[in-house]
Amino acid sequence: MKDPNSCPAVFTPKSIAFLDNLMNRQLKQAAMNFSRIFKKRFSLPLVLTNGFRQLKMKRLNLYLPKYSLPSALADGLLTLKCSALFLLFSLTFFVLNPTHAADLKVCKTCDYKTVTSAVNAAKPHDRILVQKGYYTESNIQIKKPVQLIGVGKPVIDAKNKGGIFQVETRHVVIKGFELQNVEVSYMRDYSAIKVYEGAHVTITDNHIKNAFFGIYLQRTDSCTVSRNIVEGEARTETTSGNAIHLWYSDFIKISDNKTSGHRDGIYLEFAKRCTIKDNLSFGNIRYGLHFMFSDGNVYTHNTFRNNGAGVAVMYTRDIVMKHNTFEHNWGPAAYGLLLKDISRSTISNNRFIKNTAGIYMEGSTYLHIEKNTFQGNGWALRVLSSCSEDTFRLNNFMSNTFDVSTNANSASNYFSHNYWDKYEGYDLNKDKIGDVPYRPVSLFSLVVERVPSSIMFLRSFIVDLMDRMEKVIPSFTPEMLKDDSPVLRQYAYDHA
Amino acid sequence: MNKIIKYVLYDILRSRTIIGYTAFLFLMSFGLFNLESDPTKAVLSLLNVVLLIVPLISIIFGTIHFYNSTEFIELLVSQPINRRKIFLSEYLGVALSLAMAFVVGVGVPAMLFNPGPTSIYLVTSGVFLSFIFTSLAFLASVLTRDKAKGIGIALMLWFYFSLLYDGIVMFILFYFADYPLDNATLLLLSLNPIDLGRVLVLLNIDVSALMGYTGALYKSFFGNWVGIALAFGLMVIWVMVPLFFAQRKFVKKDL
Amino acid sequence: MITLENLSKSYGKLQVLNNISAQFNAGQVVSIIGPNGSGKTTMIKCLLGMVLPDSGRIMVDGAPVIKQWEYRSKIGYMPQISRFPENMKVEQLFKMMRDIRKSNKVLDEELIGQYNIPAMFQKSLGSLSGGNKQKVSAALACLFNTEILVLDEPTAGLDPLSSEILKTKILKEKNKGKLILISSHIMSEIDEVADDIFCLVDGNFRFYQSIESIKEITQEARLGKAIAKMMAV
């Protein structure tokens, strides 16, 4: 237990005694270091809030339940000691973290020829500088807080034997590497970078090529994944993993990454309170973004383009999706955005361009879909009968083959103040709102719903006649599904 | 042959009908592009026109022209010229002038206001439809000596291809909705040149929706050049077949 | 020069030509006569390839011509009713015909001059009167100096002066050794220009004799009466 930042495996009475000693020693050290570093680097509130959050979230909530506490812990004193120990740990951690003891260089002519040897030799908080070069290594275990920095984009090639970095601790930085050829396995999730039960791990500026999984975070929190490029060569769903994969990971920040050629570009399962921002996910064989059971996440300014099945999100509530672009997702089962059992969420200021279905909604309730632009989609919206209490306001609908299709005739979703380019009404009172309602569901869309191959008669004379007659005397299309206040002028939204 | 085409062309281009047709198309295209803020929408409106007006004018004008040129054709037939050449020259003269009127009237505004593949396909479809319906017009004309009857046949052909056929096929599709109809639909589409022209444009403006269909054939049809090549190939066949029968009939015809 | 062998043609049930045979030679002016609907025009059209006979053969200079077209370069034809492309100018028509014929023979522009056709060169054919169209048509038929001239009711619609010009021209061409076939109803005219008369009635061959012998047989000085007598037989 030399490293105060690595978590003790089991609290035995012996180890508690040992830690007691350590505590005294470290208290002195901490007192000495504290004033020095504190003045230099931190402002007091930041340290305190961070420390508090650290304490609350990581130690007590996450780690404690997992340890098998010995019966001795039933003793109140011991419990107190243990709590004090944790408090101390967090304090020392914050004090010590910014420092690093030494720089270890890795290159052909350096002391360390391989990354593995440098990692093994490193002390906590050391910095390992991997020089430009080609390293054939795999399964590098990182169990102490070190910074791995690639200088001049060194290449680490796993040669299809296992993964590359496996991080099992906190405060690790992996930056500036080119990682390639991670083994494809049906049994294990080999990854270019895998973080297991770590926290505050920073993964930036890496270029990952031909990996099974790219960046895999399992039971982690407060990690940062940014500016990485993850390019796969996936051919089938079963032989490929996800570019960025989160499982039971909270407070993760994923930004400015480019993911392509994997099964899913960004995958989240049981990942809460994460921020996904400014990423580009394209050409993945399944989904550009895929999440479920991941409440409270915020997705902004991402682009999801030309993925096999677009974006699919399920079984989640309280999400915010703003300023994203969903484009060119084509296919019988491809969606700009598929929402299944999503509730109480906001989807606004997004662009849905040239998708087979802009938004496909199933079992989704209490959604605010506002200020989006739907352009050139096959179906801008497909709203299934299981959706209710959803509001569609202030959106632009332009050049879509069909604006809305549905299998329901319920009035439980609300359309108002949208711009529909197909609207042919008038505005006699000049309030810039059409005087007659717009019915976005056309008769032909119902025909296509029943006989899919009749889509080929789109824009034929007979279909035009049919739709026009239906507009004059509505008899098949849902009566209540209408926008009573269609605006006449397109909204000028700055989606970027 | 070129000489004869030249004179036929010259004759038609001087006539008021074709000039009026050109002007009508041009004014309409120009107006649509100016009225609609979104050029894509204007192209869609133009598509309706292309699919209705172009076949109608082509078949009616072709038929009337053929009957009006009976004497000219007689004059040429008494000259040392092959009848086949006379017929093809007449055909090309009419079809080319209709196609030219269309290119000037619709193609030029479309390429000015909305340059891009959609306009190119629209114009190509229109040109093909001009050729196809002139071909049908000539077939209608050689079938009967009676001008009124000939125009009647032409009008019926137009009505059949532009409305009736689609109605019948839609009805069939609806009736047999429980069966797999993907391939049958493609086959039925290829039996109507107007549908072919429409699909060519759809492949551009509504590809998002068309890609929503299952079936490997559809995917390959919409996904790449195969569909476009196939559609163009079928259009060429639609020019050739009626023309071939009309010509065979014309060569044996008593004037 | 022209041989018809057992030529038959029917439109539906109507037998227009019934087993017609004849021989026309160079230097001959043959007038084809018969009542309306007797098959004169059909016979001429068969000769020009505009109507395909049901059976029989037509030979021009010994070669069969049915479904052929090159032989027509030997024939100048003036149709009964001349309708031309309406928007074409007269000058263009002449240019076009020259273009099509590509004749290397010397062009015979006598009628063009006599009818003063250059004066209407800039007019469109649609605006010409019937008579002027006939003049254009006659001038075109003679233009290429062909060995055979086929004139279908050439003087119908022409003013007397123009008719005279045409008749003079026919005689002049005859003297050059050409074969000239004329269909006409005007007996005085036929008497002036023709040597022989070929008579059709209801598609059947009636007689084919020289005017002299007809007059002799019937003992009539006027051709009109002579023919009437012949028909009555």
Side-chain angles (χ1 to χ4, degrees), chain C residues 144-197:
Chain C
F144 298 101
N145 228 334
T146 49
E147 298 145 61
I148 303 165
L149 280 176
V150 179
L151 312 172
D152 198 352
E153 304 202 16
T155 54
L158 284 181
D159 59 83
L161 193 65
S162 305
S163 295
E164 275 315 310
I165 292 171
L166 188 57
K167 277 182 263 180
T168 318
K169 179 71 182 165
I170 291 168
L171 288 172
K172 197 173 170 186
E173 294 305 305
K174 175 199 160 186
N175 291 334
K176 287 184 190 164
K178 292 185 179 176
L179 165 62
I180 297 161
L181 297 179
I182 308 170
S183 100
S184 182
H185 294 292
I186 306 164
M187 293 304 155
S188 59
E189 226 174 70
I190 296 169
D191 206 1
E192 279 176 66
V193 297
D195 307 313
D196 304 283
I197 289 181

Side-chain angles (χ1 to χ4, degrees), chain A residues 376 401 421 452 456 458-459, chain B residues 41 48 198 206 208 211 213:
Chain A
T401 303
D421 70 341
M456 297 306 292
L458 187 64
R459 304 198 193 287
Chain B
K41 266 190 89 181
N48 286 328
R198 190 169 48 74
D206 290 298
S208 307
M211 289 299 278
Y213 277 90

Side-chain angles (χ1 to χ4, degrees), chain A residues 329-333 353-357 375-379 398-402 419-423 444 446-466, chain B residues 37-38 40-41 44 47-48 51-52 158 162-163 165-170 173-174 177-178 181-182 185-186 188-189 195 198-199 202 205-215 218-219 221-222:
Chain A
N329 298 293
W330 282 347
I353 314 283
K354 293 193 172 173
N355 303 288
T356 292
Q375 192 169 19
N377 301 289
W379 287 260
M398 299 176 303
S399 311
N400 301 297
T401 303
F402 301 107
Y419 168 76
W420 311 89
D421 70 341
K422 293 187 184 63
Y423 182 61
F444 184 53
L446 296 180
V447 173
V448 170
E449 214 61 46
R450 237 205 99 183
V451 191
S453 40
S454 62
I455 184 89
M456 297 306 292
F457 290 90
L458 187 64
R459 304 198 193 287
S460 65
F461 188 39
I462 187 140
V463 166
D464 280 4
L465 273 180
M466 226 166 67
Chain B
S37 49
D38 180 7
T40 327
K41 266 190 89 181
L44 284 179
L47 176 67
N48 286 328
L51 296 178
L52 272 185
W158 172 79
S162 60
L163 191 64
Y165 183 86
D166 288 356
I168 294 167
V169 173
M170 289 268 283
L173 289 184
F174 211 81
D178 299 332
L181 288 169
D182 292 355
T185 311
L186 281 187
L188 288 170
L189 280 177
D195 284 340
R198 190 169 48 74
V199 168
L202 287 192
I205 46 180
D206 290 298
V207 69
S208 307
L210 296 177
M211 289 299 278
Y213 277 90
T214 45
Y218 268 51
K219 252 238 146 85
F221 189 79
F222 304 130

Side-chain angles (χ1 to χ4, degrees), chain B residues 94-130:
Chain B
V94 176
L96 280 174
S97 51
L98 283 166
M100 264 198 292
F102 177 77
V103 167
V104 173
V106 173
V108 170
M111 292 313 287
L112 275 179
F113 288 97
N114 185 38
T118 311
S119 295
I120 292 173
Y121 281 109
L122 180 79
V123 175
T124 321
S125 296
V127 168
F128 264 111
L129 286 176
S130 304

Side-chain angles (χ1 to χ4, degrees), chain C:
Chain C
M1 210 166 195
I2 296 177
T3 312
L4 309 180
E5 286 176 12
N6 308 320
L7 214 55
S8 290
K9 176 72 189 177
S10 60
Y11 292 123
K13 278 182 183 172
L14 183 69
Q15 188 80 28
V16 204
L17 291 177
N18 191 8
N19 213 21
I20 305 292
S21 297
Q23 168 80 33
F24 306 118
N25 294 315
Q28 228 184 338
V29 176
V30 182
S31 178
I32 301 163
I33 62 162
N36 291 330
S38 58
K40 301 186 298 285
T41 300
T42 304
M43 196 180 103
I44 286 173
K45 283 186 168 180
C46 280
L47 179 59
L48 284 155
M50 295 164 76
V51 169
L52 291 176
D54 300 333
S55 63
R57 293 212 296 171
I58 301 170
M59 320 274 270
V60 172
D61 288 338
V65 298
I66 288 170
K67 289 192 180 172
Q68 300 296 310
W69 53 274
E70 291 89 346
Y71 74 96
R72 279 180 226 136
S73 57
K74 295 174 187 165
I75 304 174
Y77 170 58
M78 178 179 173
Q80 196 170 5
I81 308 159
S82 303
R83 264 169 52 195
F84 299 104
E86 298 221 328
N87 299 296
M88 197 176 273
K89 285 179 182 161
V90 175
E91 188 176 17
Q92 275 182 320
L93 178 71
F94 279 90
K95 266 189 191 163
M96 181 183 82
M97 296 305 269
R98 279 207 299 269
D99 223 10
I100 290 167
R101 286 271 188 161
K102 279 177 289 184
S103 172
N104 39 19
K105 282 186 190 167
V106 182
L107 292 177
D108 179 355
E109 295 185 331
E110 194 182 349
L111 279 184
I112 297 182
Q114 285 177 330
Y115 284 145
N116 197 18
I117 286 173
M120 40 186 165
F121 263 1
Q122 296 311 314
K123 287 186 181 167
S124 69
L125 284 152
S127 68
L128 293 187
S129 69
N132 279 340
K133 277 188 193 167
Q134 285 295 85
K135 287 181 196 167
V136 168
S137 192
L140 271 180
C142 296
L143 184 64
F144 298 101
N145 228 334
T146 49
E147 298 145 61
I148 303 165
L149 280 176
V150 179
L151 312 172
D152 198 352
E153 304 202 16
T155 54
L158 284 181
D159 59 83
L161 193 65
S162 305
S163 295
E164 275 315 310
I165 292 171
L166 188 57
K167 277 182 263 180
T168 318
K169 179 71 182 165
I170 291 168
L171 288 172
K172 197 173 170 186
E173 294 305 305
K174 175 199 160 186
N175 291 334
K176 287 184 190 164
K178 292 185 179 176
L179 165 62
I180 297 161
L181 297 179
I182 308 170
S183 100
S184 182
H185 294 292
I186 306 164
M187 293 304 155
S188 59
E189 226 174 70
I190 296 169
D191 206 1
E192 279 176 66
V193 297
D195 307 313
D196 304 283
I197 289 181
F198 185 92
C199 182
L200 284 172
V201 175
D202 294 334
N204 291 303
F205 170 74
R206 201 57 187 265
F207 59 84
Y208 177 26
Q209 275 174 316
S210 69
I211 292 179
E212 282 167 30
S213 63
I214 291 170
K215 286 183 180 170
E216 210 175 283
I217 292 164
T218 56
Q219 295 295 312
E220 287 282 351
R222 278 183 57 222
L223 184 64
K225 286 207 169 172
I227 300 288
K229 263 195 176 173
M230 288 287 285
M231 304 280 267
V233 173

Side-chain angles (χ1 to χ4, degrees), chain A residues 363-466:
Chain A
S364 295
T365 52
Y366 298 100
L367 300 186
H368 292 278
I369 296 174
E370 299 176 346
K371 298 184 182 176
N372 301 289
T373 292
F374 297 86
Q375 192 169 19
N377 301 289
W379 287 260
L381 295 172
R382 299 189 82 162
V383 184
L384 263 57
S385 57
S386 49
C387 298
S388 63
E389 306 303 324
D390 299 319
T391 313
F392 302 87
R393 289 173 66 241
L394 308 166
N395 300 293
N396 283 321
F397 291 87
M398 299 176 303
S399 311
N400 301 297
T401 303
F402 301 107
D403 287 327
V404 178
S405 81
T406 180
N407 58 355
N409 192 8
S410 69
S412 53
N413 297 309
Y414 310 101
F415 289 83
S416 78
H417 294 87
N418 297 291
Y419 168 76
W420 311 89
D421 70 341
K422 293 187 184 63
Y423 182 61
E424 286 176 340
Y426 45 83
D427 177 25
L428 292 181
N429 54 5
K430 301 281 174 208
D431 61 353
K432 298 201 164 55
I433 290 169
D435 296 349
V436 288
Y438 176 71
R439 299 178 181 278
V441 181
S442 72
L443 175 60
F444 184 53
S445 77
L446 296 180
V447 173
V448 170
E449 214 61 46
R450 237 205 99 183
V451 191
S453 40
S454 62
I455 184 89
M456 297 306 292
F457 290 90
L458 187 64
R459 304 198 193 287
S460 65
F461 188 39
I462 187 140
V463 166
D464 280 4
L465 273 180
M466 226 166 67

